[in-house]
Amino acid sequence: MAKGNQRDYYEVLGVSRTAAVDEIKAAYRKAALKWHPDRNPENKPEAEAKFRESTEAYSILSDQQKRQVYDTYGHAGLSGTSAGVDFNGTIFQDFHDIFGDFFGFEDMFSSSRRGRGRSQRGADLRYDMTLTFEEASAGVATKVKLPRQEYCEACNGTGAKKGTGVAACQTCGGRGQLAYQQGFFTITRTCPACQGTGQIIRERCPECRGQGRIEREKTIELRIPPGVDSGTRLRVAGEGEPGPNGGPPGDLYVVLEVKEHPFFERRGADLYCTIPVSMPQAALGTELQVPGLNGDEKLKIAEGTQSGAVFRLKGKGLADPRGGGKGDLYYHVRVLTPTKLTREQRKLIEELGASLKVENRPAERNSSIFDKVKDIFG
Ligand SMILES: [Zn+2]
Ligand SMILES: [Zn+2]
């Protein structure tokens, strides 16, 4: 998702920077009602974009922690995985979560989407998957077996026995919904007798017992791109549950969990690891074989390398699963102070110490560790 030219969240919702949560919620409700794609059939792409934008703004500004991050750092502060919002496909679910407590609201949309006896989109499915660090790094093609509801072919998903047809639901008079008056509001509920379809089956399909769907195990092939991280969500279009009454299927979301590596620490696409070197190696310089992501790498420790020095191998980090460039690989040098000296070693160090003078005064304040980064060439 492009973060380049995003509008200010307060501007999106038309509220002041000091607006209270209730005010933000009210502003969002208004925007959502106005821009919900179901209510703008003649201008769907624009409505969907506006709806998405206001939902994103709402999800940030209604969360105290995220709002604070946004107030302090703007959009850039939210681009990390934990604070950012990934609306990839679940926008209507997020929307549902937000408005679950607005009476009548949810049903209003679901019924408008269902319509009278119209087909409905199937439910999205979530599948959690754990990958090793190596699998996540290299990408992997795998297969998963999912128990799921499949469209019943015997009745074309209608649930009615072949040739028996359907009748209008008597509970709701075929409207698919029931309306109640409560104060100022008319609360519309999905009819429980016909689940909003407005139709009742005369005789059930024997194959699916009137469900229109049958539970089967399906094998789905997954291609996981290299560089994915914990929390990455992959969408497999059309592999969710089938829609009732022959409606289109939902999507499958594969949510990834990536195990940690024993010594590579991951920050985005960059990798960090610590390499211990001995005092003589640091003082005299040396060349080391160090583990990289794809086999060993050469790491040249220059003469007089200090503890804490950081070397960078450009482009040797993880891939960007969205197809961008590669991250870098950082080696952090730690000079080990010898312990448990033999008598002879102690004597040598004492001799060395006598000829090495250091002023034990406070050193100048150190700026960021990245000032010490040295790129490794060749
Ligand atoms: Zn009904
Ligand atoms: Zn059937």
Side-chain angles (χ1 to χ4, degrees), residues 67-332:
R67 185 178 178 181
Q68 205 173 355
V69 172
Y70 178 70
D71 285 348
T72 316
Y73 303 104
H75 290 291
L78 297 166
S79 56
T81 45
S82 57
V85 203
D86 178 12
F87 281 120
N88 197 8
T90 62
I91 189 155
F92 296 107
Q93 242 153 289
D94 294 337
F95 178 72
H96 175 284
D97 292 347
I98 292 161
F99 280 118
D101 55 338
F102 276 90
F103 26 84
F105 199 83
E106 176 201 338
D107 270 356
M108 189 166 73
F109 284 127
S110 46
S111 59
S112 77
R113 228 181 309 167
R114 275 168 201 162
R116 215 192 292 184
R118 257 197 296 156
S119 58
Q120 186 189 343
R121 189 175 170 274
D124 290 339
L125 289 178
R126 175 187 168 133
Y127 181 82
D128 292 292
M129 187 175 208
T130 304
L131 299 176
T132 63
F133 183 89
E134 287 76 14
E135 285 170 331
S137 158
V140 59
T142 183
K143 286 176 186 170
V144 293
K145 278 186 182 168
L146 290 180
R148 57 169 205 178
Q149 303 281 321
E150 280 196 4
Y151 177 77
C152 173
E153 281 166 9
C155 61
N156 284 333
T158 61
K161 189 177 171 184
K162 223 173 189 172
T164 62
V166 291
C169 171
Q170 298 201 329
T171 310
C172 60
R175 284 187 308 277
Q177 40 186 261
L178 301 169
Y180 306 91
Q181 196 74 25
Q182 193 172 101
F184 294 111
F185 296 94
T186 301
I187 301 171
T188 311
R189 294 229 170 282
T190 300
C191 171
C194 61
Q195 269 87 44
T197 60
Q199 294 168 338
I200 291 285
I201 290 161
R202 284 210 174 100
E203 215 177 317
R204 288 178 176 182
C205 164
E207 294 294 316
C208 60
R209 277 166 289 135
Q211 297 302 302
R213 300 186 280 179
I214 295 175
E215 186 159 321
R216 283 207 189 100
E217 198 170 64
K218 184 168 181 190
T219 305
I220 291 168
E221 287 186 27
L222 287 177
R223 290 187 59 83
I224 296 168
V228 293
D229 202 353
S230 283
T232 300
R233 189 161 50 182
L234 303 172
R235 178 166 153 257
V236 188
E239 294 293 359
E241 293 204 344
N245 305 312
D251 297 331
L252 168 69
Y253 287 93
V254 180
V255 181
L256 301 176
E257 167 82 32
V258 179
K259 286 188 191 157
E260 286 187 7
H261 192 273
F263 51 79
F264 284 131
E265 189 192 325
R266 174 172 189 168
R267 288 179 214 164
D270 294 336
L271 289 177
Y272 293 78
C273 81
T274 300
I275 299 290
V277 299
S278 71
M279 233 165 48
Q281 282 177 319
L284 305 174
T286 184
E287 197 173 280
L288 302 174
Q289 291 275 106
V290 290
L293 202 50
N294 306 303
D296 283 356
E297 300 285 351
K298 257 182 210 163
L299 177 60
K300 201 174 172 201
I301 305 288
E303 195 177 312
T305 291
Q306 301 292 340
S307 194
V310 179
F311 295 92
R312 167 168 59 191
L313 278 179
K314 274 199 149 177
K316 295 276 187 173
L318 292 161
D320 176 352
R322 286 179 192 130
K326 279 193 158 193
D328 301 331
L329 177 50
Y330 291 89
Y331 294 101
H332 181 252

